[in-house]
Amino acid sequence: MAIAKKYLKTKPVCKVTFTVPTDDAKKVAVVGDFNNWNAKKSELKKQKNGSFKGTFDLPKENSFEFKYIVDGEYINDAEADRFQWNDFAGSENAVLEL
């Protein structure tokens, strides 16, 4: 899994690209604080190499808890900036620092 951040000079946003390598997944989404944990708003697109990828404009100078949903299973990104316990989920969430 990979996270790429591109800060824009002209706007207070960061273009964040999420990439999830997988050979056999049918559906992948990224959910988090930035989209009210709504998978329909953040489905990633399958690439020719089998990975899933999506870019989102997120407000900079913020941090966001997030997870991937790969075929219905919640997964953290090992390359996240940090991890934080979430009582509601009963598990750790990945955290993105912008």
Side-chain angles (χ1 to χ4, degrees):
M1 295 179 210
I3 301 169
K5 302 172 189 174
K6 182 177 179 183
Y7 292 91
L8 301 181
K9 293 180 181 178
T10 58
K11 296 180 182 178
V13 300
C14 179
K15 288 193 171 291
V16 180
T17 301
F18 298 94
T19 304
V20 179
T22 177
D23 293 329
D24 55 354
K26 292 182 179 19
K27 194 173 186 182
V28 178
V30 60
V31 294
D33 295 337
F34 54 86
N35 65 4
N36 292 320
W37 299 88
N38 186 336
K40 291 180 182 177
K41 293 182 180 179
S42 58
E43 287 186 19
L44 304 183
K45 293 184 179 162
K46 190 165 191 169
Q47 306 297 298
K48 289 181 181 180
N49 66 2
S51 67
F52 286 78
K53 191 176 200 177
T55 302
F56 303 90
D57 289 350
L58 302 178
K60 58 184 182 179
E61 299 181 8
N62 286 289
S63 62
F64 300 98
E65 290 185 34
F66 75 99
K67 283 194 176 195
Y68 297 110
I69 303 176
V70 179
D71 290 339
E73 182 180 344
Y74 285 86
I75 298 173
N76 273 329
D77 190 325
E79 297 181 26
D81 295 321
R82 64 184 174 87
F83 298 91
Q84 181 171 311
W85 181 260
N86 183 293
D87 286 333
F88 181 77
S91 66
E92 280 189 330
N93 286 336
V95 178
L96 178 67
E97 299 279 357
L98 301 178

